[in-house]
Amino acid sequence: MMGRNDNCFCGSGKKRKKCHSYISEDSYIESLYKLYHEIEIIKRDHQYPLEHPCKKGCHECCYDFFSITMLEFEAVLASLKRNGMNYTREIFNIALEYNAFLEKNDPELYNYFERDLTGNDFEEEFYFQRRLYNDRPARLSFPCPLINKESKSCSVYEDRPFICRTHGNTFNTSTNLYKNNSPTCEYIVDSRDNANYTPEVKDEFYTKMMELNKLVQGEMRSFLLQYPIFYWFKLYKDKNEKYNRDMYESLVPAYFYKKVDSLQPIDIR
Ligand code: SF4
Ligand code: SF4
Ligand SMILES: [Zn+2]
């Protein structure tokens, strides 16, 4: 087991007590951060060509329509809260505006997010969801609510989700992007060719991510209950308001201190 005086698991070189001290040792959330760290090492050790377009400051893909898991959102939320409640509320309000915009402009998609999927046939739902998402353009007309409007940088960069760490600068042969050789973005039009210049993030990383989420959401539900970042904000607001809590409370605070293997699956809806 790691002590507070040992080097932090994130690889910063700092002591744990001066770095990720807020993350409990051997907890589920620590497992997520270890996974993030492994990805960062893969990228750090890869020799990218100088002209590779994925560079700090490039943020066009922050307009993409993509979903993240609940555990990743919990990490984002904790990161925001460390920047203060005013800031957290501000981001919540931006995200809620985007939800209102979507409700007006794409009610079919918005109403799908709002649906309670409890008890539904997993396979049927899964294919329905794929069709619904694949029918949509790859880009939204608004950016991720976590992008800083002035600097255009990510406000939770160190705690950003898995996909934000891997999109464009890594490849995985099982993704639709690779299989269909679809453009990754306006700068990377050939996803297969991009694989010649980027490191592979193997399936095991994706599997590990899902394993972690299975524990809070159950096996089937963890696949279905992935939402765009802006909608997670809405879901947290609704759920917390129902129980008279501030909109930004964690829905699974146990994640931050419970030891791996100690949590029973819970139902978030
Ligand atoms: S994936 Fe494309 S848009 Fe995103 S950072 Fe890389 S080059 Fe920029
Ligand atoms: S979390 Fe950060 S990197 Fe990811 S889409 Fe949002 S602003 Fe962009
Ligand atoms: Zn650390």
Side-chain angles (χ1 to χ4, degrees), residues 105-157:
N105 293 285
D106 190 348
E108 189 193 17
L109 183 62
Y110 182 80
N111 290 334
Y112 176 74
F113 295 150
E114 290 278 278
R115 268 176 57 197
D116 182 353
L117 303 177
T118 313
N120 292 13
D121 180 79
F122 166 70
E123 217 173 292
E124 230 170 75
E125 280 299 338
F126 184 75
Y127 288 111
F128 181 80
Q129 186 185 82
R130 289 295 101 198
R131 268 201 308 277
L132 192 74
Y133 288 8
N134 291 341
D135 278 353
R136 300 285 173 304
R139 288 266 157 89
L140 293 160
S141 55
F142 49 84
C144 170
L146 296 163
I147 201 162
N148 183 295
K149 280 194 170 153
E150 277 90 50
S151 65
K152 302 286 181 216
S153 58
C154 174
S155 43
V156 296
Y157 192 75

Side-chain angles (χ1 to χ4, degrees), residues 53-55 58-61 139 167-168 184-188:
C54 285
K55 300 226 160 60
C58 187
H59 59 270
E60 271 82 349
C61 52
R139 288 266 157 89
H167 192 62
T184 308
C185 64
E186 50 273 73
Y187 310 115
I188 304 172

Side-chain angles (χ1 to χ4, degrees), residues 8 10 12 19-20:
C8 191
C10 75
S12 65
C19 193
H20 283 94

Side-chain angles (χ1 to χ4, degrees), residues 1 50 65 72 108 153 156 171 208 215 259:
M1 188 195 272
L50 276 178
F65 174 40
E72 291 170 284
E108 189 193 17
S153 58
V156 296
F171 75 98
K208 277 193 212 161
L215 290 150
K259 302 260 184 242

Side-chain angles (χ1 to χ4, degrees), residues 66-79:
F66 66 89
S67 300
I68 65 164
T69 60
M70 187 182 188
L71 183 54
E72 291 170 284
F73 184 73
E74 284 278 336
V76 163
L77 186 61
S79 173

